[in-house]
Amino acid sequence: MDIEDGRRAPGGVTAEWAVVGSGIGPLFLAATGRGLVRVGFHAGGARGARMPELLAEQLGATAVACSTGLLAEPVRQLERYFAGALRAFDLPLDWSLTTGFNRQVLRELAAGVPYGAVVGYGELARRVGQPGAAQAVGAAMGANPLPVVVPCHRVVESDGGLGGFGGGLETKRRLLALEGVLPEPLF
């Protein structure tokens, strides 16, 4: 599969990608014609260089550097979010990289946990009708293909602990501080 020359994959899906700066470091963004499909943390250097190929494999698609503008609105909204001027993303999302329980949990998170609020893993499990599935909710958060936009940083432990985070706990702290949930770091 050719990654950057624009030829279509067998299924005909093309994903456009770009690496953009943010308040938490470089982010890998990708979108298909259906919507934003991937947000990846720490997208600089060798890690970032591998992200388009990995995305192409996961989607069974061709990944091309941003060419038709599919990412213009996600980039604009993320810039506004990190500037403190956007509280709710209004983007079409392509849920192709998640299924079943994980998709159900992530959709509930996106719809039901607003900016500046947090929810416990157990409470989120209860909201999707699986009250004993707090650990499975944690696994769904770890597999979230759309962090920040689908705000897994807003899911915390019931005792007030931060829990885990695929982008690292410092990134989670910074996102929660941006939203006013935690105080800004002193330095």
Side-chain angles (χ1 to χ4, degrees):
M1 177 181 320
D2 217 337
I3 301 300
E4 294 186 351
D5 72 1
R7 286 186 288 157
R8 292 199 175 268
V13 176
T14 298
E16 293 188 15
W17 65 272
V19 174
V20 298
S22 77
I24 54 171
L27 295 175
F28 175 83
L29 303 178
T32 66
R34 290 185 276 184
L36 188 66
V37 71
R38 169 70 78 193
V39 176
F41 295 116
H42 313 298
R47 179 183 168 110
R50 289 189 308 272
M51 288 180 167
E53 184 175 354
L54 179 59
L55 175 72
E57 290 171 8
Q58 290 172 327
L59 285 175
T62 300
V64 296
C66 195
S67 64
T68 68
L70 287 177
L71 291 171
E73 187 60 18
V75 168
R76 187 183 76 74
Q77 288 191 32
L78 281 161
E79 286 172 349
R80 291 188 64 228
Y81 171 80
F82 284 108
L86 181 79
R87 291 179 168 249
F89 291 97
D90 183 19
L91 296 168
L93 301 178
D94 179 340
W95 295 94
S96 297
L97 296 175
T98 186
T99 61
F101 179 79
N102 286 6
R103 183 182 291 185
Q104 181 183 11
V105 169
L106 292 171
R107 283 181 180 263
E108 173 59 31
L109 173 63
V113 184
Y115 184 99
V118 294
V119 66
Y121 294 95
E123 170 61 17
L124 195 51
R126 187 191 63 71
R127 288 185 188 185
V128 298
Q130 300 291 327
Q135 286 184 325
V137 166
M141 296 305 102
N144 181 3
L146 297 161
V148 181
V149 175
V150 176
C152 52
H153 60 278
R154 297 179 190 156
V155 183
V156 297
E157 295 175 345
S158 60
D159 65 2
L162 285 180
F165 193 64
L169 288 182
E170 183 56 31
T171 299
K172 186 171 188 172
R173 281 187 197 93
R174 290 171 66 189
L175 290 168
L176 291 172
L178 173 71
E179 295 186 12
V181 175
L182 294 176
E184 290 289 338
L186 295 176
F187 45 87

